[in-house]
Amino acid sequence: GAGVSQSPRYKVAKRGQDVALRCDPISGHVSLFWYQQALGQGPEFLTYFQNEAQLDKSGLPSDRFFAERPEGSVSTLKIQRTQQEDSAVYLCASSSKPGQGIPDTQYFGPGTRLTVL
Amino acid sequence: AQSVTQPDIHITVSEGASLELRCNYSYGATPYLFWYVQSPGQGLQLLLKYFSGDTLVQGIKGFEAEFKRSQSSFNLRKPSVHWSDAAEYFCAVGYSGNTPLVFGKGTRLSVIA
């Protein structure tokens, strides 16, 4: 079946522009995560949704970052007034379970590589 | 704070040689441990995971990992490396529920003929 998809795969933005990154999780997956992966680093958590509810946004680096999942499926990560330090790969992951107990496997998309000039 | 350490940034092995990638985690409670692989331009693919039970776990592509509580380690091994194994490998730890994974910085594996 289809995995997690993300679009666009590559995005170049001028400093100060707003960008929107899309994630289509595996159909029926309840949980959705966003991670940021800087060059040469491991992914770092940004935010987590259970269905349409954003349960954890502790990893968002500033109020310029905003994420939503209004219907509990597709999610969008928006970055306002982009800055050079926002350049990274943004990964989306989904899992089938809603939470508690043993964690479920997170399935990752290919990521969106954002370059801010 | 929870953390994962992968002490080797880059490892080069000859094709056919054995491989061990190191991973140490810091956390007091029982961790749930994962190894992911990332090829250039690709997302993360799960190789294997440890939740409980047998401390030696088998994964895809001939990989295995051993959980050693006394050493807080979860090292990844493969007895014979293939050129297609060249990639970035990430160790990660998760906890109860759908908490976010905490990743190490990764180990880049190069395979030479």
Side-chain angles (χ1 to χ4, degrees):
Chain A
V4 178
S5 60
Q6 293 185 246
S7 60
R9 290 293 311 277
Y10 303 90
K11 177 69 178 178
V12 178
K14 292 183 179 179
R15 189 164 57 94
Q17 285 185 331
D18 297 348
V19 298
L21 312 180
R22 177 187 169 105
C23 172
D24 284 82
I26 294 172
S27 178
H29 275 197
V30 170
S31 298
L32 186 145
F33 300 81
W34 283 99
Y35 293 85
Q36 181 190 58
Q37 185 177 19
L39 188 63
Q41 302 294 314
E44 293 188 354
F45 170 73
L46 293 176
T47 187
Y48 161 57
F49 290 86
Q50 182 178 312
N51 296 308
E52 68 279 3
Q54 189 174 20
L55 298 186
D56 187 348
K57 54 182 181 179
S58 61
L60 296 177
S62 77
D63 58 7
R64 296 186 296 102
F65 286 71
F66 171 76
E68 61 182 4
R69 193 186 185 198
E71 298 180 356
S73 55
V74 171
S75 177
T76 304
L77 176 67
K78 298 179 180 178
I79 308 174
Q80 297 176 327
R81 305 181 303 282
T82 53
Q83 300 178 8
Q84 286 189 322
E85 59 262 33
D86 299 335
S87 295
V89 175
Y90 291 85
L91 295 167
C92 175
S94 70
S95 66
S96 61
K97 293 182 182 178
Q100 289 96 40
I102 295 174
D104 194 19
T105 298
Q106 294 182 24
Y107 296 89
F108 284 80
T112 294
R113 181 178 297 277
L114 173 65
T115 302
V116 181
L117 304 176
Chain B
Q2 305 108 359
S3 66
V4 175
T5 302
Q6 294 182 247
D8 303 305
I9 296 174
H10 183 206
I11 286 181
T12 300
V13 299
S14 298
E15 191 170 15
S18 63
L19 170 71
E20 183 170 32
L21 302 182
R22 296 182 291 166
C23 172
N24 292 92
Y25 65 92
S26 68
Y27 189 67
T30 300
Y32 301 103
L33 296 158
F34 304 80
W35 274 99
Y36 282 87
V37 61
Q38 186 177 39
S39 299
Q42 302 296 314
L44 297 165
Q45 181 184 21
L46 180 69
L47 286 175
L48 48 76
K49 60 187 178 184
Y50 171 78
F51 287 170
S52 64
D54 192 347
T55 56
L56 183 64
V57 293
Q58 303 297 320
I60 62 171
K61 303 184 180 184
F63 286 92
E64 66 177 27
E66 186 172 13
F67 170 59
K68 293 185 177 180
R69 185 185 300 276
S70 62
Q71 299 177 17
S72 297
S73 70
F74 188 55
N75 293 349
L76 182 71
R77 301 194 293 248
K78 186 169 185 178
S80 178
V81 170
H82 188 261
W83 64 267
S84 60
D85 293 325
E88 188 91 20
Y89 290 80
F90 292 94
C91 181
V93 61
Y95 301 97
S96 62
N98 258 330
T99 52
L101 297 177
V102 176
F103 286 85
K105 293 188 175 184
T107 297
R108 183 161 62 94
L109 173 66
S110 296
V111 180
I112 57 175

